[in-house]
Amino acid sequence: MKKVIYMLTILSLLGACTNGKQADSQPSADGGIDAAFEYKVDRFADIEILRYPVQGFNSLSLGQKELIYYLSQAALEGRDILWDQHNRYNLTIRRVCEGVYENYMEDKSSDEWKNFETYLKQLWMANGIHHHYSEDKIMPQFSQDYFVKVVKSVDPGRMPFRDGMAADETLKEILPVMFDPAVMPKRMNQTPGVDIVATSAVNFYEGVTQKEVEDFYNAMKDPDDNTPVSYGLNSKVTKVNGVVTEQVWKLGGMYDKAIERITGWLEKAAAVAENDHQRETIQTLIAYYKTGDLKTFDDYSVQWVTDTTSRVDFINGFIETYTDPLGLKGSWESMVNFKSIEASERTRIISENAQWFEDNSPIDARFKKETVKGVSAKVITAAILGGDCYPATPIGINLPNADWIRRDHGSKSVTIDNITYAYEKASEGNGFKEEFMWSDTERERSKKYGTLTDNLHTDLHECLGHGSGKLLPGVSSDVLQAYGSPLEETRADLFALYYLGDPKLVELGLLPDNEAYKAEYYSYIMNGAMTQLTRIQPGKNIEQAHMRNRALISGWVIEKGMADSVVVLKERDYKTYVVVNDYDKLRTLFGELLSEVQRIKSEGDFEAGKKLVETYGVKVDNALHTEVLSRYEALNIAPYKGFVNPVYKLVTDENGKVTDVTVSYDENYVDQQLRYSRQYSVMPLKN
Ligand code: ZN
């Protein structure tokens, strides 16, 4: 629950904000990147696909490059696991669609074909048939009859029908899943009062009720266990002969074939590790994949979090639980990266002062950590994105998730600079600021300080926000259930917002003056109260945890500050704008809400947490929503971004010895997805 801050603040959507730290990440010839580097790759539906530069790759040592190569292969091998986790029909649907896409020989100029092509691109982006962000099923904009016609027109020998099934049998299975809006409408259903396990389309559970799953895991928990494993993290729950049971994701278990490939590459990576600590970390991960033992996963997590010296680092496994309605099951993900030395200075300063921030936090003393341990933070350059980090990717990560490991060993927090940089480059001059900001004052502040304060917000959120505070004894970390994720993000964001306005940041040299934080305050509220609505379809509620958190914070401060007009929504020429009248008081409000959200988490106050989220974080003002959508539509900006990966190649001499690893950026979105489906697809079509 601790990861990921998606590219959220408006800077992702804004024009260029070149100041300060951009100098660190300016592309150079060194990474094979020059002014002609093309950031924009593809555009369809509500998606824009970008390309990210891996600055500094060529100046790594040969050993580091080789390590990145093997880890990147391991990162790509898990792709189909995620597809299957999202829904048990995903792999079949994808392969049938790809079979048609590659082999259909007739008319490709019709609207229906073009809509089919868009649909397939949408599936690739979402790693399945449900939208990656809204969780809603993606409805095809071509008819079922058309789909049946094109499937049947392709030579069956070229189609990947499962177990020798004929086209008719396969179609019978997948047509309702694709075309009937009532079948599996949501990947994850969070609607209160319904069985959120039975009504979610994810493949974490099959044939079991929410109550059965909860009873199953509650029976495992020992309230006196001070270092509990992450129960249920790496398994699917089903029933065998009427008995609730787990199918574990491991070598020899579910997802065996993909895991065998992953561990094969990890073995190669271990052989070229930078040091013994890193080698042992990789070997423990392999042992975990072999046994599925969650205690071994914890051992791995401890080794991973305490490796703070290696330049190259990676995530690989069943990590984040956002996609499980019960918050137990880890979605498979991977990211390989290396430390950006210069840019990490910023996070080093924050980490060094971690205790000061904890001591001065506006929360109740009972909920403060006496000692903040091992907050390790760095700025990284992503080298490959895999599983749940691809094509949509976070810009910051904070792991591990186990509360006791964070308590006893700390956590590792990263900000991903080259991804942020690519977002900014791709959004230059798109007119967003001009449309939505109140006046030139806000625009100029944003231009002057926006990039810096946005990055600092991410750093504070990840390095300190998630790691601060503690639970009261006896309070379980999952007592807030589905409200846990949005509230945890709320807490981390508030921590960052509160401290951005603290003079301490100027004193530490992190901000140039006491004016800078206003840039982030303004853009945060504008995004939370208004512009993030561009990501919601008309008539829908807010579902995604980070969006709920931003709506919650913005809605709450607007309401609580109403009497003093601290921050208001103001109309001008029939358009709504955010106007902040009192930045000081706004900061006080952030502190008050932080204190309350920390209390909710520390005491496990489910009812208060639920009320906060449901009151401020879910509902959408329809009139404002309609207005924002139409203003945004006029700008013609895609609300979601995904990425293609660079391509790495081993260079060997005549004896097969590796002499170099090259990186290139010329693969487009369709070619990359089709290649991944050929190269990294070994699982059976339905698990
Ligand atoms: Zn977060």
Side-chain angles (χ1 to χ4, degrees):
M1 263 183 285
K2 311 303 195 294
K3 156 165 132 181
V4 210
I5 172 162
Y6 280 94
M7 192 65 206
L8 25 91
T9 49
I10 55 158
L11 287 167
S12 58
L13 308 164
L14 279 179
C17 302
T18 43
N19 68 1
K21 74 156 259 293
Q22 281 311 322
D24 301 337
S25 50
Q26 209 56 251
S28 65
D30 161 58
I33 299 131
D34 55 29
F37 189 88
E38 283 182 40
Y39 291 90
K40 298 182 180 191
V41 179
D42 208 340
R43 174 78 205 261
F44 51 90
D46 52 357
I47 311 290
E48 182 169 34
I49 300 292
L50 308 176
R51 183 178 278 125
Y52 61 95
V54 188
Q55 298 101 333
F57 180 79
N58 291 343
S59 55
L60 295 172
S61 72
L62 176 58
Q64 288 165 336
K65 287 194 244 184
E66 208 180 337
L67 177 59
I68 286 174
Y69 178 83
Y70 297 133
L71 290 172
S72 72
Q73 293 297 315
L76 298 174
E77 295 286 5
R79 176 173 178 251
D80 282 5
I81 295 178
L82 183 74
W83 279 74
D84 190 75
Q85 285 181 316
H86 280 168
N87 185 264
R88 61 184 184 275
Y89 298 102
N90 273 339
L91 286 176
T92 306
I93 293 171
R94 186 189 81 202
R95 287 183 201 166
V96 169
C97 288
E98 288 173 348
V100 168
Y101 188 77
E102 294 197 283
N103 298 296
Y104 183 65
M105 294 300 173
E106 292 161 45
D107 178 22
K108 293 189 177 179
S109 62
S110 71
D111 282 349
E112 293 214 285
W113 176 263
K114 282 176 188 152
N115 290 340
F116 167 72
E117 185 176 31
T118 297
Y119 177 73
L120 181 55
K121 287 181 177 183
Q122 288 177 286
L123 298 197
W124 286 329
M125 173 69 184
N127 293 292
I129 59 168
H130 297 89
H131 193 278
H132 75 287
Y133 212 79
S134 74
E135 316 266 353
D136 292 324
K137 186 155 87 177
I138 300 165
M139 294 310 296
Q141 301 301 305
F142 50 91
S143 70
Q144 180 168 316
D145 288 349
Y146 177 76
F147 184 66
V148 170
K149 189 189 91 179
V150 295
V151 169
K152 290 191 167 181
S153 74
V154 174
D155 172 3
R158 295 186 160 273
M159 293 295 286
F161 299 130
R162 179 162 56 89
D163 306 333
M165 280 164 76
D168 280 330
E169 288 171 80
T170 301
L171 285 169
K172 193 177 162 208
E173 193 174 88
I174 63 174
L175 287 178
V177 181
M178 288 174 67
F179 290 93
D180 184 344
V183 175
M184 298 181 159
K186 279 199 108 57
R187 189 168 71 185
M188 176 174 69
N189 188 13
Q190 302 178 86
T191 313
V194 302
D195 185 325
I196 54 178
V197 164
T199 57
S200 291
V202 280
N203 191 24
F204 296 137
Y205 309 99
E206 193 171 348
V208 285
T209 65
Q210 181 177 352
K211 171 131 193 350
E212 285 168 333
V213 177
E214 284 168 350
D215 290 348
F216 181 74
Y217 285 112
N218 284 337
M220 287 184 190
K221 286 179 193 162
D222 170 3
D224 299 325
D225 187 352
N226 214 14
T227 59
V229 297
S230 303
Y231 291 104
L233 185 69
N234 65 338
S235 63
K236 175 176 174 174
V237 180
T238 55
K239 261 187 203 166
V240 176
N241 300 325
V243 181
V244 177
T245 186
E246 282 184 319
Q247 284 177 268
V248 178
W249 306 325
K250 61 171 186 171
L251 212 60
M254 192 169 166
Y255 301 143
D256 169 65
K257 289 209 155 29
I259 290 173
E260 188 182 356
R261 291 272 200 104
I262 293 166
T263 53
W265 289 113
L266 290 176
E267 303 271 7
K268 285 177 184 285
V272 295
E274 289 181 74
N275 51 62
D276 288 343
H277 187 132
Q278 189 180 52
R279 186 179 345 275
E280 282 159 27
T281 306
I282 297 171
Q283 281 162 347
T284 309
L285 178 59
I286 295 168
Y288 161 62
Y289 273 130
K290 284 183 175 164
T291 60
D293 179 3
L294 288 168
K295 277 219 176 340
T296 309
F297 178 67
D298 283 349
D299 292 343
Y300 155 75
S301 297
V302 170
Q303 285 173 327
W304 178 81
V305 80
T306 51
D307 178 5
T308 52
T309 55
S310 303
R311 178 90 190 265
V312 175
D313 205 351
F314 69 100
I315 293 158
N316 184 303
F318 306 103
I319 310 289
E320 299 291 351
T321 57
Y322 293 112
T323 310
D324 176 8
L326 296 182
L328 300 170
K329 308 287 168 194
S331 297
W332 196 90
E333 71 169 57
S334 186
M335 177 183 289
V336 184
N337 62 78
F338 56 94
K339 187 171 175 175
S340 165
I341 306 286
E342 283 169 66
S344 294
E345 181 63 8
R346 197 175 67 218
T347 48
R348 187 191 61 78
I349 295 171
I350 292 172
S351 296
E352 269 183 14
N353 290 277
Q355 193 65 50
W356 184 91
F357 285 101
E358 184 75 2
D359 294 345
N360 289 278
S361 169
I363 63 174
D364 192 309
R366 291 178 299 143
F367 312 140
K368 286 186 188 181
K369 279 191 177 134
E370 293 77 16
T371 351
V372 183
K373 270 189 195 164
V375 183
S376 130
K378 58 185 176 180
V379 177
I380 59 167
T381 303
I384 206 89
L385 310 170
D388 209 14
C389 295
Y390 170 88
T393 188
I395 54 164
I397 297 177
N398 185 312
L399 290 170
N401 282 335
D403 278 312
W404 76 264
I405 299 179
R406 303 170 73 82
R407 181 192 69 212
D408 294 352
H409 303 277
S411 65
K412 209 191 270 186
S413 175
V414 302
T415 310
I416 308 159
D417 243 21
N418 57 331
I419 297 292
T420 313
Y421 185 78
Y423 277 120
E424 288 166 3
K425 293 301 284 183
S427 62
E428 279 178 6
N430 65 12
F432 188 85
K433 268 196 243 186
E434 286 67 24
E435 178 59 40
F436 287 104
M437 289 188 166
W438 173 248
S439 73
D440 283 343
T441 307
E442 287 79 15
R443 280 187 281 272
E444 276 156 23
R445 232 182 242 138
S446 170
K447 191 167 182 226
K448 190 170 173 193
Y449 305 112
T451 304
L452 178 63
T453 53
D454 193 30
N455 282 324
L456 257 181
H457 180 276
T458 307
D459 295 338
L460 289 164
H461 174 116
E462 298 292 348
C463 306
L464 301 179
H466 281 307
S468 81
K470 66 175 182 190
L471 302 178
L472 290 184
V475 175
S476 159
S477 60
D478 53 11
V479 67
L480 299 175
Q481 299 175 33
Y483 300 107
S485 287
L487 286 168
E488 177 57 19
E489 295 311 321
T490 300
R491 203 174 66 86
D493 262 0
L494 286 166
F495 189 98
L497 288 166
Y498 179 77
Y499 277 117
L500 269 174
D502 197 305
K504 180 79 174 178
L505 293 204
V506 181
E507 201 183 296
L508 291 171
L510 293 166
L511 286 178
D513 53 48
N514 289 320
E515 181 82 1
Y517 76 97
K518 295 176 183 174
E520 179 67 12
Y521 276 27
Y522 186 84
S523 61
Y524 190 92
I525 304 289
M526 185 179 91
N527 184 46
M530 287 179 55
T531 51
Q532 72 164 355
L533 294 175
T534 55
R535 297 175 162 214
I536 306 277
Q537 287 180 354
K540 300 273 184 192
N541 283 336
I542 304 172
E543 303 278 352
Q544 207 271 347
H546 295 82
M547 289 183 68
R548 285 188 164 185
N549 124 50
R550 282 171 250 136
L552 191 170
I553 292 174
S554 305
W556 192 91
V557 295
I558 288 171
E559 187 183 295
K560 301 296 165 187
M562 204 175 281
D564 301 324
S565 298
V566 177
V567 45
V568 294
L569 294 179
K570 207 163 171 173
E571 202 181 291
R572 183 179 64 202
D573 302 335
Y574 307 105
K575 289 178 176 180
T576 310
Y577 297 87
V578 168
V579 178
V580 178
N581 293 311
D582 190 333
Y583 281 95
D584 269 351
K585 278 198 185 136
L586 179 53
R587 178 169 185 246
T588 308
L589 289 173
F590 286 145
E592 282 170 20
L593 184 56
L594 173 57
S595 170
E596 170 62 3
V597 173
Q598 182 64 54
R599 184 197 66 75
I600 288 169
K601 170 157 176 157
S602 293
E603 295 180 351
D605 188 343
F606 175 82
E607 284 306 323
K610 176 182 173 183
K611 195 169 170 211
L612 257 190
V613 175
E614 294 289 346
T615 308
Y616 301 101
V618 179
K619 303 250 168 9
V620 174
D621 175 332
N622 285 328
L624 181 62
H625 191 193
T626 308
E627 177 202 319
V628 168
L629 285 177
S630 85
R631 287 163 70 186
Y632 187 71
E633 202 174 73
L635 297 173
N636 196 26
I637 304 168
Y640 304 100
K641 317 282 188 205
F643 287 89
V644 290
N645 279 315
V647 180
Y648 296 93
K649 287 211 167 78
L650 285 182
V651 181
T652 51
D653 65 14
E654 61 274 19
N655 303 317
K657 188 175 173 306
V658 176
T659 56
D660 199 8
V661 181
T662 60
V663 57
S664 60
Y665 303 96
D666 41 16
E667 195 167 40
N668 73 32
Y669 179 62
V670 172
D671 290 343
Q672 181 157 96
Q673 293 288 346
L674 289 173
R675 180 172 67 85
Y676 285 1
S677 293
R678 282 191 304 271
Q679 205 172 334
Y680 306 104
S681 197
V682 290
M683 297 205 318
L685 282 177
K686 189 157 162 277
N687 275 284

